[in-house]
Amino acid sequence: MALFLKAAEFTQLCQQGQMEPSSNQTGLDHATLLPKSLGQGTYRQLHLRGGLTIEIREGVLEQTLRIEQIHEPIFPLTSKFFLSGSARVETPGIRGIQPDYIERKGFNYLYHLPDLEEIEEWHGGEVIHLVMIYANTDYFHFLRDDPALPNPLRSIFQGTKSQQRFHQSLGPISPNMEQLLQQLVDCPYTGATQALYVESKALELLTLQLETWKQQYLQAPTLRKDDIERLHHARDLLIQQSENPPLLIELAHQVGLNDRKLKQGFRQLFGTTVFGYLQDYRLGQAKQLLADASLSIAAVAMSVGYRNPEAFSTAFRRKFSVSPKAYQLNIRG
């Protein structure tokens, strides 16, 4: 069973955790130990000039944790890189934002989500390692007139639509991003030199993300309102028939799209392929079922549509960095 906390309650618990000594004398680097009641791990923050902040999260939760977040009307542009682990996010009733989506290992995201409520779900027993970069939107004032930027970004940089919301999946973490992330995490410097070094790496990462989105934006076909409705219908059918899903061409026919538009639209709207979405959903369901002591690994695999338990175990380990058996033992205590 998942533990539900409001963001303020989670923060209060973390503040009760032991504070690690600062790695330097400038006050740039702060690390908080996750309290033992929640698991093992650290939250490390580096506060830089201009409101730029880097956060590195590492650890394993004792049990699945659902956190209710209430975002302020003024919200930073947020960059997220999942090196390990995943998170489910529920944002119902917000126009232009998926009501339920998964951020996963090996992918990177860019978002601006002011003035809304959401629930983040972090799975117990799963190794979590992610890097986040927060930047005030006016930090990028010098980019406001770049015509090649996607409209949502230009709007918030110009300040014309400060409440503009978006959550953009930018695909897999590239080798260049991976190298920069490793350099940022393993920064060899302290003090002012550390600040200069990590700021440069953060800006390089943001540059790669902006360039990736620009290319996606230029290449992506425009989705009409009825296309979006058909794609949502396709997603719902995929979930309903997850144990015995239709072929891609059959799913496209059921919602009135051709298979090319279905594939392109699915990636554009949901940030992953049709198969990737189905696999994420199946494995999320499997996590919940593994908490049932009466179910074997093979039974869980079969119930979520995997006829081969070995294929299920491989997919589960690849996504959650832990085997189904180890996860099952951990969650049952």
Side-chain angles (χ1 to χ4, degrees):
M1 182 179 294
L3 173 64
F4 183 87
L5 293 173
K6 293 183 181 295
E9 295 171 329
F10 177 73
T11 300
Q12 187 176 16
L13 282 172
C14 287
Q15 288 173 345
Q16 294 171 4
Q18 177 185 351
M19 294 295 293
E20 291 183 340
S22 175
S23 62
N24 57 74
Q25 300 303 312
T26 66
L28 288 169
D29 195 345
H30 305 274
T32 305
L33 288 173
L34 197 67
K36 291 183 178 179
S37 60
L38 296 180
Q40 295 182 333
T42 59
Y43 275 51
R44 181 181 170 200
Q45 284 194 331
L46 298 99
H47 299 285
L48 306 171
R49 60 179 179 170
L52 193 69
T53 299
I54 298 169
E55 183 172 287
I56 302 170
R57 303 182 189 180
E58 296 182 81
V60 180
L61 291 170
E62 193 70 30
Q63 66 182 104
T64 295
L65 182 63
R66 289 171 61 82
I67 303 175
E68 182 186 59
Q69 300 274 6
I70 300 177
H71 294 185
E72 297 294 331
I74 297 176
F75 192 83
L77 181 67
T78 304
S79 172
K80 184 182 288 185
F81 300 84
F82 265 92
L83 299 174
S84 184
S86 63
R88 177 184 178 188
V89 184
E90 299 171 22
T91 314
I94 302 298
R95 185 176 179 180
I97 305 297
Q98 297 174 49
D100 192 333
Y101 57 90
I102 295 175
E103 297 173 330
R104 50 200 177 116
K105 174 184 175 181
F107 282 72
N108 71 108
Y109 307 87
L110 192 67
Y111 58 88
H112 183 251
L113 299 171
D115 198 22
L116 59 75
E117 295 182 20
E118 67 177 18
I119 294 176
E120 296 179 352
E121 182 173 280
W122 301 85
H123 300 292
E126 179 180 341
V127 177
I128 297 168
H129 189 189
L130 66 141
V131 175
M132 301 179 69
I133 303 168
Y134 306 99
N136 296 333
T137 54
D138 57 8
Y139 187 94
F140 303 97
H141 64 89
F142 55 92
L143 296 176
R144 64 180 60 178
D145 296 322
D146 184 351
L149 282 177
N151 286 334
L153 277 175
R154 219 163 56 243
S155 294
I156 64 168
F157 291 167
Q158 293 174 344
T160 54
K161 293 184 179 179
S162 60
Q163 295 299 298
Q164 172 80 55
R165 300 187 183 105
F166 58 82
H167 180 279
Q168 186 71 21
S169 172
L170 297 174
I173 294 173
S174 69
N176 284 346
M177 289 178 178
E178 194 170 347
Q179 182 180 21
L180 288 166
L181 288 163
Q182 199 62 53
Q183 291 170 341
L184 190 155
V185 171
D186 297 331
C187 174
Y189 306 111
T190 59
T193 312
Q194 176 199 36
L196 184 63
Y197 182 85
V198 296
E199 181 179 351
S200 70
K201 300 304 173 185
L203 292 178
E204 284 189 77
L205 285 164
L206 285 165
T207 298
L208 291 175
Q209 284 196 310
L210 294 182
E211 189 59 30
T212 298
W213 195 5
K214 280 166 66 173
Q215 294 304 315
Q216 289 181 356
Y217 187 75
L218 291 172
Q219 297 170 10
T222 302
L223 291 175
R224 299 175 311 195
K225 182 178 179 181
D226 63 330
D227 290 334
I228 294 173
E229 291 174 352
R230 291 173 194 274
L231 288 164
H232 279 290
H233 186 204
R235 180 200 61 186
D236 295 342
L237 289 175
L238 201 63
I239 290 173
Q240 293 167 15
Q241 303 173 49
S242 61
E243 294 181 26
N244 187 25
L247 296 173
L248 192 67
I249 191 71
E250 294 173 343
L251 181 61
H253 180 72
Q254 288 177 25
V255 299
L257 294 171
N258 60 51
D259 59 333
R260 182 171 176 271
K261 188 119 188 184
L262 176 67
K263 289 189 289 186
Q264 290 182 339
F266 221 87
R267 182 177 286 280
Q268 187 176 347
L269 190 60
F270 301 117
T272 184
T273 63
V274 177
F275 176 76
Y277 192 97
L278 175 62
Q279 185 179 60
D280 281 346
Y281 177 77
R282 283 174 162 177
L283 294 174
Q285 293 296 105
K287 268 201 160 187
Q288 297 181 27
L289 293 171
L290 286 170
D292 186 342
S294 67
L295 293 176
S296 66
I297 302 296
V300 170
M302 185 68 71
S303 69
V304 296
Y306 283 87
R307 293 179 174 79
N308 184 334
E310 291 184 5
F312 164 70
S313 294
T314 299
F316 193 94
R317 189 183 299 107
R318 185 180 296 119
K319 178 171 175 57
F320 299 121
S321 302
V322 64
S323 70
K325 188 64 178 177
Y327 176 77
Q328 196 175 52
L329 291 172
N330 179 280
I331 200 168
R332 293 177 186 175

